[in-house]
Amino acid sequence: MSNIGIWEAAEPGVRRKILRADGGLMMMEVHFESGAEGYEHDHPHEQMSYCLKGAMAFIIDGTETVIRQGETIYIPSGARHGAKALEPSALLDTFTPIRQDLLK
């Protein structure tokens, strides 16, 4: 059984759905309630996040950047990062290589 295409809970107030995982790329949609956080973590994957709606405050290696609907942020391999929704928000995250740790 695969979790691709299935909404699942992540952190409190955060849910995600892996859209595709092919070749060396993975794409995932993530929805946040206002104030919900994606806790700080790091991984060897490069990541780009596109804000579909709302506003998100990202901390990347100690530096805060806010992105809003229509804006994108890049997270380098190995960077310590987390995010907090400043209002109800949604992201489209892309990873390379595939996040095998998130696949079931």
XYZ file of all heavy atoms in Angstrom:
805
model
N 0.853 -1.198 0.000
C 0.000 0.000 0.000
C 0.881 1.237 0.000
O 1.824 1.331 0.751
C -0.900 -0.036 1.235
C -1.675 1.206 1.481
S -3.381 0.925 1.057
C -4.029 2.523 1.315
N 0.573 2.180 -0.820
C 1.319 3.421 -0.943
C 0.529 4.570 -0.318
O -0.696 4.564 -0.330
C 1.572 3.710 -2.420
O 2.097 5.002 -2.596
N 1.244 5.555 0.197
C 0.567 6.734 0.730
C 0.535 7.876 -0.287
O 0.119 8.984 0.044
C 1.202 7.183 2.049
C 2.662 7.585 1.907
O 3.381 7.100 1.026
N 3.131 8.442 2.788
N 0.934 7.622 -1.525
C 0.866 8.648 -2.558
C -0.607 8.937 -2.869
O -1.400 8.031 -3.079
C 1.646 8.222 -3.814
C 3.144 8.145 -3.473
C 1.395 9.185 -4.973
C 4.018 7.630 -4.582
N -0.947 10.226 -2.861
C -2.310 10.648 -3.157
C -3.262 10.585 -1.982
O -4.460 10.796 -2.147
N -2.746 10.326 -0.782
C -3.588 10.196 0.416
C -3.220 11.295 1.414
O -2.045 11.465 1.758
C -3.396 8.808 1.063
C -3.836 7.716 0.082
C -4.156 8.714 2.381
C -3.485 6.318 0.521
N -4.218 12.043 1.881
C -3.972 13.049 2.919
C -3.636 12.342 4.227
O -4.299 11.376 4.592
C -5.197 13.943 3.114
C -5.352 14.945 2.016
C -6.239 14.877 0.991
C -4.598 16.133 1.829
N -6.083 15.974 0.168
C -5.075 16.759 0.661
C -3.544 16.738 2.524
C -4.553 17.971 0.177
C -3.034 17.941 2.047
C -3.521 18.539 0.894
N -2.590 12.835 4.915
C -2.229 12.278 6.213
C -1.793 13.396 7.144
O -1.348 14.449 6.708
C -1.143 11.212 6.072
C 0.111 11.653 5.373
C 1.072 10.508 5.081
O 0.749 9.342 5.345
O 2.158 10.802 4.583
N -1.960 13.151 8.443
C -1.557 14.121 9.454
C -0.041 14.149 9.555
O 0.617 13.113 9.465
C -2.167 13.758 10.800
N 0.487 15.348 9.739
C 1.917 15.521 10.004
C 2.011 16.039 11.442
O 1.637 15.326 12.364
C 2.535 16.468 8.975
N 2.420 17.274 11.639
C 2.411 17.875 12.967
C 0.992 18.363 13.280
O 0.140 18.402 12.399
C 3.395 19.061 13.020
C 4.852 18.646 12.998
C 5.425 18.498 11.582
O 4.684 18.728 10.600
O 6.597 18.145 11.468
N 0.715 18.773 14.538
C -0.618 19.297 14.864
C -0.988 20.475 13.961
O -0.200 21.400 13.785
C -0.480 19.736 16.324
C 0.606 18.865 16.875
C 1.575 18.683 15.740
N -2.174 20.401 13.353
C -2.642 21.458 12.472
C -2.036 21.424 11.079
O -2.231 22.358 10.304
N -1.300 20.346 10.769
C -0.637 20.225 9.464
C -1.028 18.888 8.848
O -0.971 17.852 9.502
C 0.903 20.289 9.605
C 1.572 20.189 8.236
C 1.345 21.551 10.340
N -1.438 18.936 7.572
C -1.687 17.687 6.863
C -1.016 17.772 5.505
O -0.823 18.865 4.957
C -3.180 17.388 6.743
C -3.983 18.398 6.015
C -5.482 18.141 6.162
N -6.221 19.098 5.360
C -6.875 18.814 4.249
N -6.937 17.570 3.818
N -7.505 19.745 3.570
N -0.637 16.594 4.968
C 0.112 16.573 3.713
C -0.362 15.444 2.817
O -0.906 14.452 3.285
C 1.608 16.437 3.989
C 1.975 15.107 4.622
C 3.471 14.998 4.851
N 3.749 13.774 5.578
C 4.528 13.689 6.635
N 5.140 14.757 7.097
N 4.722 12.541 7.232
N -0.111 15.649 1.519
C -0.418 14.623 0.529
C 0.726 14.595 -0.478
O 1.028 15.614 -1.119
C -1.736 14.928 -0.178
C -2.075 13.939 -1.288
C -3.471 14.122 -1.853
C -3.632 15.393 -2.625
N -4.929 15.459 -3.352
N 1.378 13.431 -0.618
C 2.412 13.274 -1.635
C 1.697 13.129 -2.972
O 0.834 12.260 -3.138
C 3.296 12.052 -1.334
C 4.016 12.252 0.008
C 4.297 11.816 -2.466
C 4.718 11.014 0.533
N 2.038 14.001 -3.913
C 1.386 14.002 -5.213
C 2.069 13.058 -6.200
O 1.405 12.299 -6.895
C 1.356 15.419 -5.787
C 0.648 16.457 -4.909
C 0.869 17.856 -5.459
C -0.828 16.145 -4.794
N 3.390 13.113 -6.255
C 4.169 12.263 -7.156
C 5.536 12.029 -6.547
O 6.059 12.870 -5.820
C 4.390 12.940 -8.520
C 3.187 13.169 -9.386
C 2.583 11.912 -9.972
N 3.485 11.152 -10.833
C 3.435 11.116 -12.153
N 2.533 11.826 -12.793
N 4.271 10.362 -12.830
N 6.130 10.887 -6.902
C 7.507 10.557 -6.527
C 8.065 9.710 -7.662
O 7.849 8.502 -7.698
C 7.549 9.805 -5.199
N 8.701 10.369 -8.630
C 9.204 9.699 -9.818
C 10.590 10.225 -10.172
O 10.882 11.409 -9.931
C 8.275 9.935 -11.014
C 6.904 9.299 -10.827
O 6.861 8.071 -10.643
O 5.899 10.027 -10.868
N 11.400 9.350 -10.796
C 12.750 9.767 -11.154
C 13.469 10.206 -9.900
O 13.506 9.477 -8.909
N 13.988 11.406 -9.879
C 14.674 11.929 -8.700
C 13.910 13.035 -8.007
O 14.469 13.746 -7.181
N 12.613 13.192 -8.333
C 11.816 14.291 -7.776
C 10.599 13.787 -7.017
O 10.011 12.763 -7.367
C 11.314 15.208 -8.893
C 12.349 16.008 -9.650
C 11.708 16.682 -10.853
C 12.980 17.046 -8.749
N 10.207 14.563 -6.003
C 8.995 14.269 -5.250
C 8.256 15.584 -5.028
O 8.877 16.611 -4.713
C 9.330 13.645 -3.910
C 8.133 13.271 -3.080
S 8.667 12.256 -1.692
C 7.917 13.155 -0.378
N 6.922 15.565 -5.192
C 6.098 16.751 -4.999
C 5.011 16.439 -3.976
O 4.403 15.370 -4.014
C 5.470 17.182 -6.323
C 4.751 18.500 -6.254
S 4.130 19.018 -7.874
C 5.657 19.580 -8.601
N 4.793 17.388 -3.056
C 3.868 17.168 -1.950
C 3.118 18.470 -1.657
O 3.717 19.542 -1.650
C 4.684 16.727 -0.723
C 3.909 16.498 0.528
S 4.947 15.726 1.806
C 6.110 17.007 2.175
N 1.817 18.359 -1.403
C 1.009 19.496 -0.985
C 0.862 19.433 0.533
O 0.589 18.364 1.085
C -0.354 19.458 -1.668
C -1.176 20.693 -1.431
C -2.429 20.742 -2.291
O -2.519 20.008 -3.302
O -3.327 21.530 -1.935
N 1.040 20.585 1.193
C 0.973 20.638 2.656
C 0.054 21.786 3.061
O 0.234 22.914 2.602
C 2.375 20.837 3.281
C 2.303 20.702 4.797
C 3.397 19.863 2.700
N -0.949 21.497 3.911
C -1.891 22.512 4.399
C -1.645 22.765 5.884
O -1.428 21.814 6.652
C -3.330 22.046 4.191
C -3.734 22.029 2.754
N -5.050 22.099 2.369
C -3.020 21.959 1.600
C -5.125 22.076 1.057
N -3.900 21.973 0.566
N -1.711 24.031 6.270
C -1.453 24.459 7.649
C -2.635 25.262 8.174
O -3.103 26.188 7.499
C -0.228 25.388 7.710
C 1.079 24.753 7.348
C 1.434 24.559 6.022
C 1.969 24.376 8.329
C 2.639 23.996 5.678
C 3.185 23.807 8.002
C 3.526 23.615 6.671
N -3.077 24.959 9.377
C -3.999 25.842 10.074
C -3.198 27.048 10.547
O -1.971 26.970 10.699
C -4.608 25.123 11.294
C -5.479 23.940 10.930
C -5.972 23.166 12.153
O -5.736 23.612 13.296
O -6.607 22.119 11.943
N -3.867 28.159 10.808
C -3.174 29.345 11.301
C -2.409 29.014 12.585
O -2.960 28.399 13.506
C -4.176 30.464 11.569
O -3.500 31.639 11.937
N -1.143 29.379 12.658
C -0.305 29.127 13.832
C 0.356 27.765 13.859
O 1.234 27.521 14.687
N -0.040 26.860 12.962
C 0.557 25.517 12.938
C 2.007 25.603 12.469
O 2.384 26.478 11.685
C -0.236 24.585 12.037
N 2.815 24.667 12.969
C 4.242 24.681 12.667
C 4.711 23.384 12.049
O 4.262 22.310 12.434
C 5.053 24.918 13.947
C 4.804 26.261 14.577
C 5.718 26.514 15.768
O 6.929 26.278 15.649
O 5.191 26.937 16.810
N 5.621 23.533 11.108
C 6.433 22.417 10.649
C 7.712 22.518 11.457
O 8.486 23.468 11.300
N 7.894 21.613 12.417
C 8.998 21.716 13.366
C 10.353 21.708 12.676
O 10.520 21.127 11.600
C 8.913 20.580 14.385
C 7.624 20.588 15.178
C 6.791 19.484 15.190
C 7.230 21.725 15.876
C 5.597 19.495 15.896
C 6.036 21.746 16.582
C 5.231 20.626 16.591
O 4.056 20.648 17.280
N 11.334 22.358 13.320
C 12.683 22.419 12.757
C 13.270 21.023 12.594
O 13.160 20.188 13.478
C 13.587 23.283 13.635
C 13.352 24.761 13.416
C 14.472 25.621 13.957
O 15.651 25.235 13.849
O 14.151 26.684 14.500
N 13.889 20.808 11.439
C 14.514 19.539 11.112
C 15.513 19.789 9.980
O 15.625 20.904 9.483
C 13.455 18.514 10.661
C 12.735 18.899 9.424
N 11.781 19.910 9.389
C 12.819 18.441 8.157
C 11.320 20.032 8.168
N 11.933 19.161 7.376
N 16.231 18.771 9.601
C 17.096 18.870 8.431
C 17.072 17.537 7.708
O 16.684 16.515 8.263
C 18.529 19.268 8.806
C 19.172 18.309 9.775
O 19.475 17.166 9.361
O 19.385 18.684 10.941
N 17.445 17.564 6.438
C 17.519 16.354 5.621
C 18.489 16.625 4.477
O 18.776 17.785 4.156
C 16.137 15.931 5.108
C 15.304 17.029 4.551
N 15.573 17.643 3.338
C 14.198 17.645 5.035
C 14.664 18.574 3.098
N 13.821 18.604 4.115
N 19.005 15.569 3.871
C 19.992 15.748 2.801
C 19.385 16.178 1.463
O 20.106 16.427 0.507
C 20.640 14.369 2.679
C 19.579 13.417 3.134
C 18.828 14.149 4.217
N 18.076 16.309 1.403
C 17.392 16.648 0.160
C 17.362 18.161 -0.054
O 17.244 18.914 0.908
C 15.948 16.130 0.208
C 15.861 14.725 0.687
N 15.885 14.412 2.027
C 15.806 13.562 0.015
C 15.827 13.095 2.160
N 15.784 12.557 0.954
N 17.427 18.594 -1.298
C 17.151 19.984 -1.627
C 15.631 20.129 -1.673
O 14.923 19.182 -2.037
C 17.733 20.355 -2.991
C 19.235 20.444 -3.001
C 19.737 20.832 -4.375
O 19.864 19.919 -5.212
O 19.972 22.040 -4.601
N 15.148 21.308 -1.311
C 13.700 21.533 -1.259
C 13.376 22.915 -1.802
O 14.089 23.882 -1.525
C 13.212 21.422 0.186
C 11.745 21.730 0.398
C 11.319 21.564 1.850
O 12.007 20.929 2.648
N 10.189 22.146 2.199
N 12.291 22.997 -2.564
C 11.698 24.280 -2.927
C 10.243 24.236 -2.482
O 9.575 23.218 -2.673
C 11.789 24.553 -4.422
C 13.213 24.838 -4.860
S 13.322 25.511 -6.513
C 13.071 27.228 -6.147
N 9.795 25.315 -1.868
C 8.411 25.409 -1.414
C 7.757 26.614 -2.078
O 8.294 27.723 -2.042
C 8.337 25.558 0.105
O 8.791 24.381 0.731
N 6.579 26.378 -2.688
C 5.789 27.407 -3.347
C 4.539 27.633 -2.504
O 3.838 26.680 -2.166
C 5.416 26.948 -4.757
C 4.483 27.884 -5.480
C 4.963 29.049 -6.057
C 3.128 27.594 -5.590
C 4.097 29.916 -6.724
C 2.261 28.449 -6.260
C 2.760 29.607 -6.818
O 1.908 30.465 -7.467
N 4.278 28.872 -2.148
C 3.117 29.189 -1.317
C 1.869 29.296 -2.196
O 1.733 30.214 -2.999
C 3.364 30.483 -0.551
S 2.092 30.844 0.672
N 0.983 28.322 -2.051
C -0.268 28.283 -2.806
C -1.277 29.289 -2.273
O -2.052 29.872 -3.037
C -0.878 26.879 -2.743
C -0.072 25.765 -3.412
C -0.604 24.406 -2.977
C -0.120 25.925 -4.917
N -1.291 29.457 -0.938
C -2.180 30.442 -0.310
C -1.640 30.750 1.075
O -0.901 29.960 1.668
C -3.623 29.933 -0.217
C -3.848 28.843 0.796
C -5.340 28.535 0.948
C -5.531 27.582 2.121
N -6.937 27.337 2.418
N -2.007 31.927 1.586
C -1.624 32.297 2.938
C -0.260 32.952 3.032
O 0.228 33.560 2.080
N 0.368 32.789 4.200
C 1.686 33.360 4.479
C 2.400 32.448 5.467
O 1.817 32.022 6.463
C 1.553 34.768 5.058
N 3.664 32.164 5.163
C 4.470 31.248 5.982
C 5.776 31.930 6.380
O 6.443 32.543 5.543
C 4.808 29.983 5.187
C 3.631 29.148 4.749
S 2.810 28.267 6.093
C 4.127 27.243 6.731
N 6.141 31.785 7.658
C 7.434 32.263 8.139
C 8.368 31.055 8.226
O 8.112 30.127 8.990
C 7.291 32.925 9.505
N 9.411 31.046 7.412
C 10.417 29.982 7.416
C 11.633 30.436 8.203
O 12.043 31.588 8.094
C 10.881 29.670 5.985
C 9.940 28.800 5.207
C 8.854 29.345 4.562
C 10.165 27.441 5.102
C 7.989 28.544 3.829
C 9.307 26.631 4.379
C 8.220 27.182 3.733
N 12.189 29.524 8.976
C 13.496 29.730 9.601
C 14.433 28.743 8.918
O 14.187 27.532 8.942
C 13.468 29.444 11.122
C 12.462 30.339 11.842
C 14.865 29.576 11.715
C 12.881 31.776 11.963
N 15.479 29.255 8.275
C 16.466 28.405 7.613
C 17.829 28.766 8.163
O 18.301 29.901 7.998
C 16.437 28.578 6.083
C 15.032 28.285 5.548
C 17.472 27.667 5.422
C 14.851 28.609 4.083
N 18.442 27.818 8.858
C 19.737 28.046 9.512
C 19.742 29.352 10.305
O 20.677 30.145 10.237
C 20.878 28.014 8.493
C 21.195 26.608 8.012
O 20.902 25.638 8.755
O 21.744 26.462 6.908
N 18.654 29.588 11.046
C 18.567 30.727 11.951
C 18.072 32.021 11.337
O 17.892 33.012 12.044
N 17.844 32.064 10.033
C 17.377 33.277 9.367
C 15.907 33.128 8.988
O 15.526 32.139 8.365
C 18.208 33.553 8.089
O 19.579 33.704 8.466
C 17.727 34.800 7.374
N 15.087 34.120 9.378
C 13.657 34.061 9.075
C 13.345 34.768 7.754
O 13.855 35.855 7.486
C 12.831 34.708 10.186
C 11.335 34.622 9.921
C 10.480 35.132 11.068
O 10.661 34.647 12.199
O 9.628 35.998 10.813
N 12.512 34.119 6.958
C 12.014 34.683 5.698
C 10.527 34.387 5.616
O 10.112 33.256 5.862
C 12.721 34.042 4.480
O 14.131 34.234 4.600
C 12.234 34.650 3.178
N 9.731 35.390 5.290
C 8.290 35.207 5.130
C 7.989 35.134 3.637
O 8.462 35.970 2.853
C 7.499 36.361 5.780
C 6.009 36.240 5.481
C 7.740 36.376 7.294
N 7.210 34.107 3.250
C 6.714 34.044 1.882
C 5.189 34.060 1.919
O 4.570 33.598 2.865
C 7.250 32.819 1.090
C 6.742 31.490 1.667
C 8.766 32.859 1.013
C 7.033 30.286 0.767
N 4.628 34.616 0.851
C 3.181 34.741 0.726
C 2.730 34.096 -0.579
O 3.558 33.678 -1.392
C 2.783 36.210 0.751
C 3.181 36.881 2.045
C 2.789 38.361 2.092
N 3.355 39.000 3.274
C 2.946 38.813 4.515
N 1.946 37.993 4.763
N 3.517 39.421 5.525
N 1.443 33.997 -0.769
C 0.882 33.369 -1.962
C 1.636 33.822 -3.215
O 1.859 35.016 -3.425
C -0.597 33.712 -2.091
C -1.258 33.045 -3.276
C -2.750 33.306 -3.326
O -3.329 33.905 -2.435
N -3.385 32.836 -4.372
N 2.065 32.831 -4.017
C 2.767 33.107 -5.264
C 4.267 33.210 -5.135
O 4.964 33.365 -6.142
N 4.802 33.109 -3.913
C 6.255 33.207 -3.702
C 6.849 31.839 -3.385
O 6.152 30.934 -2.939
C 6.559 34.199 -2.578
C 6.099 35.602 -2.916
C 6.352 36.603 -1.804
O 6.397 36.218 -0.605
O 6.495 37.787 -2.142
N 8.147 31.732 -3.621
C 8.870 30.474 -3.475
C 10.078 30.677 -2.574
O 10.662 31.755 -2.530
C 9.347 29.987 -4.864
O 8.220 29.869 -5.716
C 10.023 28.647 -4.777
N 10.468 29.596 -1.884
C 11.680 29.622 -1.065
C 12.479 28.349 -1.348
O 11.901 27.289 -1.599
C 11.342 29.772 0.433
C 12.592 30.137 1.235
C 10.647 28.526 0.979
C 12.275 30.707 2.607
N 13.809 28.474 -1.318
C 14.727 27.352 -1.540
C 15.375 26.960 -0.219
O 15.827 27.827 0.535
C 15.805 27.748 -2.548
C 16.927 26.747 -2.662
C 16.725 25.510 -3.263
C 18.183 27.037 -2.148
C 17.753 24.584 -3.362
C 19.224 26.118 -2.250
C 18.998 24.895 -2.857
O 20.022 23.974 -2.948
N 15.414 25.662 0.055
C 16.060 25.141 1.262
C 17.172 24.193 0.816
O 16.899 23.151 0.215
C 15.050 24.421 2.171
C 13.922 25.390 2.552
C 15.746 23.848 3.407
C 12.718 24.750 3.186
N 18.435 24.574 1.068
C 19.545 23.737 0.616
C 19.648 22.421 1.388
O 19.139 22.289 2.512
C 20.792 24.586 0.882
C 20.324 25.901 1.380
C 18.874 25.793 1.709
N 20.317 21.475 0.795
C 20.607 20.192 1.436
C 21.284 20.423 2.783
O 22.210 21.227 2.888
C 21.535 19.392 0.511
O 21.990 18.236 1.148
N 20.790 19.749 3.818
C 21.410 19.810 5.149
C 21.063 21.028 5.976
O 21.486 21.117 7.127
N 20.308 21.980 5.445
C 19.961 23.191 6.198
C 18.922 22.865 7.272
O 17.954 22.164 7.028
C 19.427 24.268 5.266
N 19.131 23.385 8.470
C 18.154 23.244 9.553
C 17.019 24.217 9.248
O 17.262 25.417 9.029
C 18.827 23.579 10.884
C 17.960 23.343 12.078
C 18.275 21.999 12.675
N 17.452 21.796 13.842
C 16.809 20.673 14.074
N 16.932 19.670 13.253
N 16.076 20.536 15.144
N 15.774 23.722 9.209
C 14.667 24.590 8.821
C 13.353 24.163 9.463
O 13.192 23.026 9.869
C 14.509 24.625 7.294
C 14.199 23.285 6.694
N 15.144 22.304 6.528
C 13.047 22.759 6.225
C 14.598 21.235 5.981
N 13.308 21.482 5.794
N 12.452 25.113 9.534
C 11.101 24.899 10.026
C 10.231 26.021 9.488
O 10.735 26.963 8.875
N 8.932 25.918 9.686
C 8.017 26.941 9.166
C 6.815 27.082 10.088
O 6.424 26.135 10.768
C 7.557 26.568 7.759
N 6.237 28.280 10.095
C 5.028 28.542 10.877
C 4.046 29.295 9.997
O 4.412 30.262 9.318
C 5.355 29.375 12.115
C 4.140 29.642 12.977
C 4.505 30.369 14.255
C 3.271 30.565 15.112
N 3.606 31.184 16.400
N 2.782 28.847 10.024
C 1.724 29.506 9.253
C 1.274 30.773 9.974
O 0.864 30.723 11.125
C 0.550 28.557 9.058
N 1.363 31.890 9.297
C 0.925 33.160 9.861
C -0.582 33.353 9.696
O -1.166 34.234 10.326
C 1.685 34.309 9.195
C 3.219 34.206 9.300
C 3.879 35.354 8.550
C 3.664 34.163 10.754
N -1.178 32.517 8.862
C -2.622 32.463 8.609
C -2.877 31.106 7.970
O -1.910 30.386 7.684
C -3.049 33.612 7.695
C -2.310 33.649 6.379
C -2.545 34.950 5.612
O -2.131 36.008 6.099
O -3.156 34.860 4.519
N -4.103 30.695 7.731
C -4.312 29.421 7.056
C -3.544 29.431 5.729
O -3.655 30.386 4.946
C -5.825 29.359 6.830
C -6.386 30.232 7.917
C -5.374 31.340 8.083
N -2.738 28.402 5.500
C -1.810 28.417 4.370
C -1.685 27.049 3.728
O -2.044 26.032 4.331
C -0.421 28.872 4.841
O -0.470 30.169 5.398
N -1.155 27.049 2.501
C -0.872 25.809 1.792
C 0.415 25.977 1.000
O 0.664 27.049 0.430
C -2.016 25.429 0.865
N 1.223 24.920 0.986
C 2.491 24.905 0.252
C 2.498 23.769 -0.753
O 1.879 22.729 -0.528
C 3.670 24.681 1.207
C 3.956 25.728 2.262
C 5.071 25.240 3.187
C 4.332 27.063 1.621
N 3.246 23.957 -1.810
C 3.595 22.893 -2.729
C 5.101 22.697 -2.573
O 5.883 23.585 -2.920
C 3.234 23.275 -4.168
C 3.498 22.221 -5.216
C 2.650 20.972 -4.964
C 3.208 22.784 -6.605
N 5.491 21.575 -1.972
C 6.902 21.277 -1.720
C 7.430 20.321 -2.779
O 6.759 19.351 -3.144
C 7.083 20.611 -0.350
C 6.847 21.541 0.817
O 6.887 22.771 0.620
O 6.624 21.041 1.930
N 8.645 20.596 -3.247
C 9.324 19.712 -4.181
C 10.678 19.359 -3.587
O 11.380 20.235 -3.062
C 9.505 20.392 -5.548
O 8.230 20.785 -6.032
C 10.149 19.455 -6.547
N 11.035 18.075 -3.663
C 12.288 17.569 -3.109
C 13.082 16.829 -4.173
O 12.507 16.167 -5.036
C 12.009 16.571 -1.970
C 11.198 17.116 -0.846
C 9.828 16.950 -0.822
C 11.797 17.783 0.212
C 9.058 17.431 0.218
C 11.038 18.270 1.258
C 9.671 18.097 1.267
N 14.404 16.913 -4.071
C 15.285 16.054 -4.833
C 16.464 15.683 -3.949
O 16.982 16.549 -3.253
C 15.749 16.692 -6.167
O 16.486 15.729 -6.913
C 16.613 17.921 -5.966
N 16.863 14.424 -3.862
C 16.154 13.281 -4.416
C 14.845 13.017 -3.644
O 14.512 13.756 -2.732
C 17.141 12.126 -4.247
C 17.980 12.513 -3.071
C 18.060 14.015 -3.131
N 14.163 11.950 -3.996
C 12.900 11.586 -3.361
C 13.093 11.380 -1.860
O 14.078 10.770 -1.435
C 12.328 10.313 -4.015
C 11.862 10.650 -5.434
C 11.197 9.703 -3.202
C 11.445 9.451 -6.247
N 12.158 11.871 -1.053
C 12.162 11.662 0.399
C 11.619 10.279 0.708
O 10.442 10.094 1.000
C 11.287 12.725 1.093
C 11.757 14.150 1.035
C 12.709 14.542 2.135
N 12.357 14.108 3.450
C 11.790 14.876 4.396
N 11.486 16.129 4.128
N 11.544 14.375 5.578
N 12.481 9.278 0.644
C 12.065 7.905 0.932
C 11.515 7.779 2.343
O 10.651 6.934 2.610
C 13.247 6.946 0.735
C 13.738 6.864 -0.688
C 12.773 6.217 -1.652
O 11.854 5.485 -1.258
N 12.947 6.470 -2.927
N 11.988 8.633 3.278
C 11.535 8.589 4.671
C 10.052 8.939 4.804
O 9.432 8.614 5.824
C 12.385 9.501 5.559
C 12.370 10.963 5.117
O 12.538 11.224 3.905
O 12.182 11.830 5.972
N 9.463 9.595 3.815
C 8.050 9.973 3.868
C 7.150 8.989 3.119
O 5.935 9.039 3.256
C 7.841 11.370 3.308
C 8.529 12.507 4.065
C 8.232 13.837 3.397
C 8.122 12.546 5.530
N 7.743 8.115 2.321
C 6.955 7.154 1.547
C 6.663 5.902 2.367
O 7.486 5.451 3.164
C 7.705 6.750 0.271
C 7.874 7.834 -0.770
C 8.746 7.333 -1.907
C 6.527 8.313 -1.286
N 5.480 5.347 2.162
C 5.084 4.115 2.861
C 4.797 3.054 1.841
O 4.362 3.298 0.756
C 3.864 4.358 3.742
C 4.130 5.340 4.848
C 2.883 5.571 5.664
C 3.158 6.642 6.712
N 1.993 7.116 7.378
